Structure formats: C-alpha cells, structure tokens
Amino acid sequence: MHASADAPIAGLAAAWQLVDHRSTAATADPLVLDCARRLAADPGGERAAEWVYGLLSMTGYLATRAEDATAGQVAEVLRTAARALDGPPCDHRTHPCESALEQLDFDELRLAGSAPDVVLLWDEAAEDGYGEDDD
C-alpha cells in the first residue's frame, strides 16, 4: 500500500500496521519515508505525535530489514522531533493518550514490534470528553 499526501490518518495507521519484519523494501520504504518526511517537515507540530506513532509502528521493519540509510534517516528525524517536542508544556490540562500509555509494558511492546493504536486511543479520549472546552 502506498501512502498518498491526502490519506486520512486512520488509513495510514492501518498501512503502518502492515509493515513489519517480513516486509520488503519495495512495500515498506514508501510508507516509512513518507512518514519520516511528514515528521521532518514539522517535528514539533500538532500532528508530530501521529508521525512518531507511525514510525514506531514500523520498528519491526526498521530494526530488521531496512537499509542502514533508511533506518539512519528515521533515527535522525525522531531525534529532531524529540528535541522539538521537549519544550514547554501545552495549554491542555490532560492528554488523551497519557493514561493508556502509562499502562503499557514497554518491554512487551518492543518484543511485539508493535505500538498502541493511536486512533483507538484517541477515540477513547474523545469518549472521555477530551477536546471539549478545557477551561
């Protein structure tokens, strides 16, 4: 599956989940590089967490099958995003994914080569009232 510039995040998230240690470069690299390009374009932006999630979703491929140049490019983009996102706190009192992320066993996550489904986490947060007037 090839990501288009206009693909909704749910479609991209579904495509990212298909990229794993069995994926070929012809299948995975377009998705990986598209995600890295989007994150590099605005590493501290409003959608940066989505692109970080996408890259983390594809770590099974990046760690086992990706060419060194691709993996290195992704690592550099993630380092840039980490620096950009490590700034002053935002205006929100809470964040939609925090409680779900706190419950994860990151060793299991690493071994599974997967990441939490940000779309599902966001849906749960919406049910809890996130995004409504925070004042």
Side-chain angles (χ1 to χ4, degrees):
M1 175 177 213
H2 180 69
S4 73
D6 300 320
I9 193 66
L12 286 171
W16 297 331
Q17 293 301 314
L18 299 175
V19 175
D20 62 20
H21 65 281
R22 297 168 297 211
S23 299
T24 65
T27 300
D29 279 357
L31 288 163
V32 169
L33 294 173
D34 174 68
C35 192
R37 178 190 55 76
R38 292 174 191 243
L39 181 58
D42 194 9
E46 186 175 304
R47 299 189 72 187
E50 294 169 354
W51 311 131
V52 168
Y53 164 77
L55 293 171
L56 293 176
S57 295
M58 298 183 279
T59 56
Y61 168 76
L62 288 164
T64 60
R65 307 270 321 248
E67 295 290 328
D68 289 345
T70 300
Q73 180 180 349
V74 168
E76 184 56 36
V77 168
L78 287 169
R79 280 191 288 273
T80 300
R83 286 189 299 271
L85 294 169
D86 189 27
C90 68
D91 296 338
H92 298 108
R93 286 182 286 193
T94 62
H95 293 92
C97 302
E98 285 178 348
S99 62
L101 290 174
E102 288 171 1
Q103 296 172 16
L104 289 176
D105 180 340
F106 281 96
D107 287 333
E108 282 182 18
L109 184 65
R110 181 181 52 79
L111 292 173
S114 185
D117 190 330
V118 72
V119 175
L120 293 177
L121 293 175
W122 184 258
D123 288 345
E124 289 172 10
E127 290 172 8
D128 293 338
Y130 180 80
E132 295 174 8
D133 186 20
D134 287 336
D135 292 329

